[in-house]
Amino acid sequence: MERETLFVDILLPLPLEAHFTYRVPFKLNSDVSIGKRVVVQFGKKKLYSGIIMKVHQTIPSHANVKYILNILDIKPIVNPIQIRLWKWLSDYYMAYEGEVMNAALPTSLKLASESKLILNPDFDGNYDLLNDKEFLIVQALERHHIITLTEASKIIDQKKIMHLVKTLIEKGCILPEEEIRDRFKPKTESYVRLSEDYKSEKSLESLTRILEKRAFKQLELLLVFLQHSKFFSKSPKQISKAFLLSKSGLSSSIITALEKRGVLEVYQKSQSRLKDFAATKQLSSLKLSEKQEVALGQISNIFTEKDVCLLHGVTGSGKTEIYIKLINEYLKIDKQVLFLVPEIALTAQIINRLREYYGDKLGYYHSRYGNNERVEVWQNINANTKKSYKIIIGARSSIFLPFSNLGLVIVDEEHDSSYKQYDPSPRYHARDSAIVLAKMHDAKCLLGSATPSLESYYKTTTNKYGLVNLDERFSKVNMPEILVVDTVEAYRKKEMKSHFTKLLLDQIAEALENKEQVILFQNRRGFSLRLVCESCQWTPECTNCDVSLTYHKQIGRLKCHYCGASKDVPTKCPNCGGNKLVMKGFGTEKIEEELPVFFPDVKVKRMDLDTTRSKNAYLQIINDFQDRKIDVLVGTQMVSKGLDFDNVSLVGVMNADNLLYYPDFRSFERSFQQLTQVSGRSGRQHKRGKVVIQTAQPYHAVIRDVIDNNFLSMYKSQMEERASFKYPPFYRVIRISLKHRDYHVLNDGARYFTDLLLPKLGSRVLGPEYPAVGRIKNYYIKNVLVKFEINASHKAVKTIIKEAIKEMFQEKSYRYILIQADVDPV
């Protein structure tokens, strides 16, 4: 095989359709295999790392086939099932495979090319094998340590130099800089050991006599080392440098002195960045209620016939306990388990609960993890050893991990829109992708929610998914009492104090007096939603987006929530020169500030995007609330998702109307889900809670369904509307967004694109129309909706759309319009 001419098809992390064929140098023939990373030249001066997708001997039709420059992995980092998943995601969500690869791999496993070269650390300085031009490049690297390909080209006065670079890499003289700079670096720690010359008792005795007379501190440190390493025992211990210094109380200079004497050796040992935890509870101690036992049995029975089951359990019914028991069944048969949660905030609580039973079998993976930690989790699972994680908890990106023996996928809060990736591409839905992933592994998938998505529930009615209902709270605690306050009437009676009704303030006072905690939900962050001039109605708008700016008091500026631009608050109206500028609307920041006015001693904390940007901010806020260091937690939708706090007796919804009147066909479904979910945070541990909903529409159908906890009523009414207006689950939807900086070019291009679709798709095409926000980051936007029957060929429809996109790019006037397809938008 060593002398066979091999070729490899490489997937690069670029938005390009094809794989690219490269030739394998003979000496690397035995090392190539599918799933390994390689360094290749792409273009004249670019180096990339790509994934080997195929190894073959088919000679490409084009003559100029480049060689791969290096192989980065000893064993594949991507397995065949992952490659199948990437292909499915690419096909279904109309994304390039390179974009899927980009989303799937942790940053530290991707090499970002800046086309730079460095000297190989193993180069022995033998110049005899180099020609004149090669010598000039090596000499330049010895002087400057790093040079770009452009600089190398100038040094030898030659435009095409990649062949020369390839030769120097093969001779072991240089390396692509990316390979050293960006490759994952294991964490190491310094350890200390006795050198070979002093391992005998006789040599040690001689040494101690010398040190006793001349260097007593060195002797002191040596004795501490011998004691704690148990040097003279049958099983001596490894001692870290930090441990030795802490036990001896001496400085590192003493270790350095013993190193120079040749007594001690300092060496590096790889350390995991991931903490190990021991299980603290036995699974036998976890007792399920009678209803939970029945539900668990039903799930197991459904899994004998179907691959997917929906667990529809009311808030507080104890779904997590069922998950824990079910996970154990799959660990017994040595299967891996993936546990998906929609928000990083939820991982903290779920991790703590599962860790008690599963200890170091449990790993977690999400975007707030550092790049190196994510690589360690990836490598841990890829190794597939006895020490590898058996359970992974994580957000949507966890579906990309290299599972090889997956038995169960749990999607908690399966209805949540956070499972949908919006930007960049691929715009995949983690719930739907997880179901496909489970099928590829011949595994089972359990969806759990108190408020299932209408699509998932519909599939239970068509017998595609199994259904298990859990309609009773754990310990038979009653569902919370829901009180609705008419804000229009409260304003008329002058019973509103700022944004609080009298009823809500009274209920907060009662809860605080009883030493209980409160959650206040407002689905808008910031202090004030907009600034308005009372004289001329002027409102400050973002210069980059068609939205008004939100005032953030903490930073004292007006801020755009779409592009992040900010500006100072004007002292007078720039439109009319008046000084009657007033704040309208309110966000979480304003609630946080105003609450202490009514309750001076209250401890208030806010949980929204602004307060949880740092790595551990979620966990800190949740732990503080759990430990009762916070009396009132004010938050956006983050506080509505599956969090479980023992002492919360009251939940206040500050303005339900924000949810009800959002311009989207899912707005009523979403309103029901969010109001029900946030209500479910109230009343646990043998006590009924209360919920106060402030709204201008107290008799709205959704509000009534929330009060009655009537999911089926909401489901039936929404199904009728969706069937009438051709929306999911009866029709599929693909939204194509066209973007351009020039308003006129976009208008003409969007109409041209629509005209390409109409002859083949007819009335299934709607638009083009401007969305609610028609300009973001200086790009004007127009959307085209394609709605087609659920039994129609989605592949055929996508092919038509792709052909129209290609034709657009061939039209010179429109080739710079950005076109983005979003399949199953949410």
Side-chain angles (χ1 to χ4, degrees), residues 546 734-754 766-776 779-785 808 817-822:
D546 286 345
I734 300 175
R735 182 176 62 215
I736 302 106
S737 298
L738 297 93
K739 303 179 180 181
H740 197 273
R741 292 180 183 273
D742 189 301
Y743 173 88
H744 301 290
V745 171
L746 177 67
N747 271 343
D748 295 343
R751 175 44 59 194
Y752 179 79
F753 178 74
T754 307
L766 301 178
E769 292 291 342
Y770 286 104
V773 180
R775 182 174 60 103
I776 296 175
Y779 277 90
Y780 292 95
I781 306 166
K782 272 203 160 180
N783 289 336
V784 177
L785 277 189
M808 275 283 286
I817 293 177
L818 297 175
I819 304 177
Q820 299 172 343
D822 189 357

Side-chain angles (χ1 to χ4, degrees), residues 310 312 314 414-415 449-458 460-461 467 469 669 672-673 676 704-706 708-719:
L310 173 64
H312 181 196
V314 297
E414 64 85 28
H415 66 277
S449 178
T451 53
S453 66
L454 300 192
E455 287 89 338
S456 293
Y457 198 84
Y458 175 75
T460 68
T461 65
L467 174 65
N469 288 302
E669 176 191 4
F672 178 87
Q673 288 167 343
T676 302
R704 295 291 106 189
D705 288 337
V706 171
D708 299 335
N709 192 37
N710 196 339
F711 171 81
L712 286 178
S713 170
M714 183 276 296
Y715 171 79
K716 288 174 183 175
S717 67
Q718 288 302 295
M719 285 294 102

Side-chain angles (χ1 to χ4, degrees), residues 578-613:
N579 55 7
K580 292 183 178 180
L581 295 173
V582 294
M583 301 287 183
K584 296 283 186 180
F586 63 101
T588 51
E589 192 179 1
K590 192 171 187 181
I591 300 169
E592 181 189 30
E593 183 181 274
E594 287 187 344
L595 205 59
V597 174
F598 303 109
F599 306 101
D601 299 325
V602 73
K603 288 172 280 187
V604 186
K605 191 72 178 179
R606 177 164 47 100
M607 188 161 82
D608 57 23
L609 186 63
D610 296 322
T611 61
T612 56
R613 292 185 188 276

Side-chain angles (χ1 to χ4, degrees), residues 528-583:
S528 175
L529 301 188
R530 62 192 181 279
L531 191 68
V532 180
C533 173
E534 286 191 324
S535 300
C536 69
Q537 299 303 305
W538 170 86
T539 297
E541 294 186 349
C542 178
T543 54
N544 306 319
C545 313
D546 286 345
V547 290
S548 58
L549 298 173
T550 301
Y551 176 57
H552 287 250
K553 190 169 184 179
Q554 191 172 9
I555 60 173
R557 290 175 70 82
L558 298 165
K559 190 174 180 181
C560 175
H561 287 174
Y562 283 84
C563 71
S566 65
K567 62 167 67 172
D568 291 329
V569 181
T571 54
K572 61 181 182 179
C573 176
N575 187 49
C576 69
N579 55 7
K580 292 183 178 180
L581 295 173
V582 294
M583 301 287 183

Side-chain angles (χ1 to χ4, degrees), residues 4 17 194 268 285 304 392 438 474 519 728 749 798 811:
E4 286 180 346
E17 282 195 22
L194 209 59
Q268 300 299 310
S285 67
T304 61
I392 286 291
F474 189 71
I519 290 176
K798 289 168 187 173
E811 187 67 30

Side-chain angles (χ1 to χ4, degrees), residues 357-404:
Y357 297 100
Y358 294 115
D360 58 8
K361 292 178 183 176
L362 180 72
Y364 41 102
Y365 189 84
H366 51 66
S367 59
R368 292 288 174 94
Y369 235 172
N371 285 326
N372 287 324
E373 284 96 333
R374 297 182 86 191
V375 173
E376 285 203 16
V377 174
W378 186 286
Q379 292 178 337
N380 177 292
I381 296 169
N382 196 39
N384 196 24
T385 64
K386 287 184 178 181
K387 291 185 177 180
S388 295
Y389 294 128
K390 301 303 179 188
I391 310 162
I392 286 291
I393 297 178
R396 59 175 180 261
S397 59
S398 304
I399 65 165
F400 294 118
L401 286 167
F403 297 105
S404 56

Side-chain angles (χ1 to χ4, degrees), residues 189-192 239-246 252 255-256 259 266:
E189 188 175 354
S190 297
Y191 275 70
V192 178
I239 297 292
S240 72
K241 185 176 177 180
F243 177 84
L244 183 57
L245 292 175
S246 69
S252 60
I255 293 179
T256 305
E259 263 193 290
V266 177

